[in-house]
Amino acid sequence: MYEFMRNALLGSFMISVVAGIIGTIIVCRRKVFVAGGITHASFGGIGIAYYLGLNPIVGAFIFAVATALGIDVLERKGTIRGDSAIAMLWSLGMAIGLIFMFLTPSYASNLMGFMFGDILSISTIDLWCIAVVATLSLLLSVLFYRPLLYVSFSPSFARVVGLRVGLIETIISIVTAIGIVVAIKAVGIVLVLSIFTIPQAIVGKWKRQMGWMMLWSGVIAFVGALLGLAASYYLDWPAGAVITAVLALLKLLLP
Amino acid sequence: MERDDDILIKLSDVSAGYEGVTILSDVNITVRSSSFIALVGPNGGGKTTLVRLMLGQIDAMSGELFRRKNLRIGYLPQINDIDMEFPITVEDVIFSGVPCLFRHTEEERRRADELIRFAGLEELRSRQIGRLSGGQRQRAFLCRALMNNPQLLMLDEPSTYMDRDASTGLYALLDKLKNEMAIVLVSHDIDSTSHRARTIYRVERNVRLVANHYIIK
């Protein structure tokens, strides 16, 4: 098998693990809009990293985590409405990214890759990043499933019971942010939310436990990714777009 | 004679509110280990603020608030604070009544089993929480509140959206509990609670004693 295809398959599998776990947490906690903000704001980091000649994923990590924590802080302080805070950081990140991309010669070709993803060009370094994040999210969600479940279900009650809700929510925010960033490589900023939310919408109807929702969402995300890869390889269609379309179609076809 | 060693919570001239706006002022109320208190009064009168004070979720702006050291409180929040679509089973909702880092202990499992039997939820323990009737759901949340073996049980509007039969079921369970722990019950509706509680307070900016059926044995 070609190396790029093997990398793409391995990458898709590990991203599906991340999307299953972290997407379920996002959906269950009703933080989809927050995830959208984190995703788009990370473009600011990509732009700056490109301008400075650094690995763009590093810039994306920094911006994503800063945005996730920034949204938490702004929401807690209550000086700005939560959804307005998200919208502001969402577009500010995009604006910063655009300015720095514009200042960098030959930006246009890279822009498309980050906007819409390019799973066939996934590198060994990217794979290692994804592997670390996939292992981390798997370990955390299995080991600490109970506090994760209780804080996600009802943070106010978890606080009454004595769980350290602030700390747990901060850890969730950070892991969510880095999980989103590693998936951007495959499906791009514009489409990444699809693999973090549509599988959950598909299995949500018949899963009554968060753990099973994580597992089966991951499986469905992987099915979508495989079909997307095949279409991208044989038809030369953009993989990210096919993955999103396949997942949405599955949602419509399944009861 | 009233003794002091059975006091769980005591508020003396307490004022409370949010962001400088006073919602409650000059509140004097004592919760003892044998109390069964109903808090009634209009919406916006400060019932929930009083509950949050007792729970320790907010601090008093002035006055003195005593809470017994290591007091275990079981809490049943208002139903609209809960996401009914969340993928969680009845059993796991009940387990969430005690903090947990990795796994629940044998003792906690036994406690959950015992409570599930007490509330008659044996058949429903693996159901998703949203697929219960209003009465079954409140019984599940009552079990969650009882998981930590509380000395004080606080219920915030437990019979909202429940039909008559369902709330009768819930109150029957409370009747079994009232001799084992102190109970503080918030209700907008004075009729269904008045004949159960031993003491009734009206909460409207301050707290006024309405009735006291306290019987000293």
Side-chain angles (χ1 to χ4, degrees):
Chain A
M1 201 178 354
Y2 300 114
E3 195 189 337
F4 74 88
M5 205 58 195
R6 199 198 59 200
N7 282 356
L9 276 174
L10 194 56
S12 306
F13 175 73
M14 294 190 296
I15 286 169
S16 302
V17 172
V18 173
I21 294 169
I22 292 175
T24 297
I25 297 170
I26 292 170
V27 169
C28 287
R29 296 175 73 223
R30 298 185 183 258
K31 298 281 188 191
V32 174
F33 190 51
V34 177
I38 294 169
T39 309
H40 287 79
S42 69
F43 187 62
I46 293 172
I48 292 179
Y50 247 97
Y51 180 75
L52 298 174
L54 303 169
N55 188 338
I57 209 162
V58 177
F61 272 135
I62 294 169
F63 262 63
V65 172
T67 308
L69 299 179
I71 291 170
D72 280 356
V73 169
L74 287 173
E75 273 186 343
R76 256 172 238 164
K77 275 176 81 179
T79 46
I80 178 169
R81 291 167 60 109
D83 51 351
S84 304
I86 296 163
M88 188 181 78
L89 294 176
W90 175 314
S91 36
L92 177 65
M94 292 295 284
I96 292 171
L98 202 59
I99 291 169
F100 278 93
M101 281 276 177
F102 189 76
L103 293 175
T104 314
S106 76
Y107 70 93
S109 56
N110 308 320
L111 194 64
M112 281 296 279
F114 281 107
M115 281 309 182
F116 301 105
D118 190 1
I119 195 159
L120 293 177
S121 75
I122 217 158
S123 68
T124 313
I125 297 170
D126 294 330
L127 281 181
W128 276 109
C129 283
I130 302 167
V132 168
V133 175
T135 313
L136 182 73
S137 41
L138 197 59
L139 269 178
L140 287 178
S141 61
V142 170
L143 270 178
F144 300 107
Y145 181 68
R146 291 281 148 191
L148 176 63
L149 176 68
Y150 302 159
V151 169
S152 303
F153 175 55
S154 175
S156 57
F157 191 82
R159 196 169 284 121
V160 173
V161 164
L163 281 173
R164 297 188 59 188
V165 175
L167 175 71
I168 296 169
E169 285 188 329
T170 303
I171 295 171
I172 294 175
S173 293
I174 292 172
V175 178
T176 301
I178 60 178
I180 288 173
V181 169
V182 294
I184 285 177
K185 185 70 197 179
V187 275
I189 287 171
V190 179
L191 304 172
V192 77
L193 269 189
S194 65
I195 59 163
F196 281 75
T197 57
I198 305 175
Q200 283 76 9
I202 291 170
V203 304
K205 278 269 171 266
W206 40 276
K207 280 300 154 215
R208 48 177 203 259
Q209 272 173 302
M210 194 174 82
W212 288 109
M213 196 171 177
M214 288 173 167
L215 177 68
W216 284 104
S217 301
V219 171
I220 299 224
F222 189 51
V223 170
L226 285 182
L227 293 172
L229 267 183
S232 159
Y233 184 71
Y234 292 108
L235 305 172
D236 204 21
W237 287 6
V242 176
I243 294 171
T244 302
V246 164
L247 290 175
L249 196 65
L250 275 175
K251 172 65 195 158
L252 291 176
L253 293 178
L254 292 169
Chain B
M1 224 192 83
E2 293 201 322
R3 302 190 336 262
D4 276 353
D5 58 354
D6 69 341
I7 292 178
L8 304 181
I9 295 178
K10 183 173 184 174
L11 279 72
S12 317
D13 301 321
V14 165
S15 299
Y18 306 93
E19 290 162 27
V21 181
T22 309
I23 293 177
L24 288 169
S25 55
D26 304 318
V27 174
N28 288 287
I29 188 168
T30 305
V31 182
R32 296 169 184 277
S33 51
S34 56
S35 296
F36 188 165
I37 294 171
L39 302 173
V40 300
N43 286 330
K47 298 190 297 286
T48 298
T49 306
L50 184 54
V51 168
R52 297 189 64 192
L53 264 173
M54 290 180 171
L55 283 170
Q57 287 184 337
I58 55 170
D59 292 323
M61 297 196 300
S62 66
E64 200 188 329
L65 195 158
F66 164 83
R67 188 183 299 105
R68 182 188 280 189
K69 226 178 158 195
N70 302 321
L71 177 66
R72 293 188 309 276
I73 303 179
Y75 174 47
L76 196 152
Q78 282 189 30
I79 198 79
N80 35 357
D81 290 350
I82 290 151
D83 180 358
M84 287 304 164
E85 281 172 39
F86 196 99
I88 187 168
T89 59
V90 170
E91 190 176 57
D92 283 347
V93 168
I94 295 171
F95 272 122
S96 76
V98 281
C100 175
L101 194 56
F102 301 110
R103 297 189 53 163
H104 286 289
T105 62
E106 258 323 299
E107 199 191 325
E108 286 164 354
R109 286 167 198 283
R110 270 199 303 276
R111 175 89 183 133
D113 286 340
E114 192 184 302
L115 287 170
I116 286 168
R117 274 196 305 278
F118 166 73
L121 295 169
E122 294 97 326
E123 313 279 303
L124 306 169
R125 60 189 297 162
S126 309
R127 275 227 196 143
Q128 193 264 334
I129 190 69
R131 298 194 179 173
L132 299 186
S133 72
Q136 293 164 341
R137 202 176 287 159
Q138 280 305 52
R139 278 184 274 145
F141 285 110
L142 178 65
C143 292
R144 177 177 75 165
L146 294 170
M147 263 305 275
N148 65 347
N149 220 341
Q151 295 149 301
L152 166 62
L153 176 64
M154 302 194 64
L155 309 103
D156 197 350
E157 304 271 11
S159 52
T160 317
Y161 307 127
M162 264 164 57
D163 59 36
R164 210 185 151 78
D165 286 351
S167 45
T168 310
L170 184 74
Y171 286 124
L173 294 179
L174 289 188
D175 280 337
K176 291 183 189 167
L177 296 167
K178 70 183 177 196
N179 294 321
E180 293 170 39
M181 61 193 70
I183 298 177
V184 173
L185 176 83
V186 173
S187 176
H188 57 273
D189 132 44
I190 194 162
D191 297 329
S192 73
T193 52
S194 54
H195 63 284
R196 286 170 206 280
R198 296 181 185 122
T199 321
I200 302 172
Y201 289 95
R202 184 176 170 80
V203 184
E204 191 173 3
R205 197 165 166 91
N206 48 33
V207 173
R208 200 157 44 80
L209 184 67
V210 177
N212 196 346
H213 314 301
Y214 206 93
I215 302 155
I216 298 162
K217 286 174 190 158

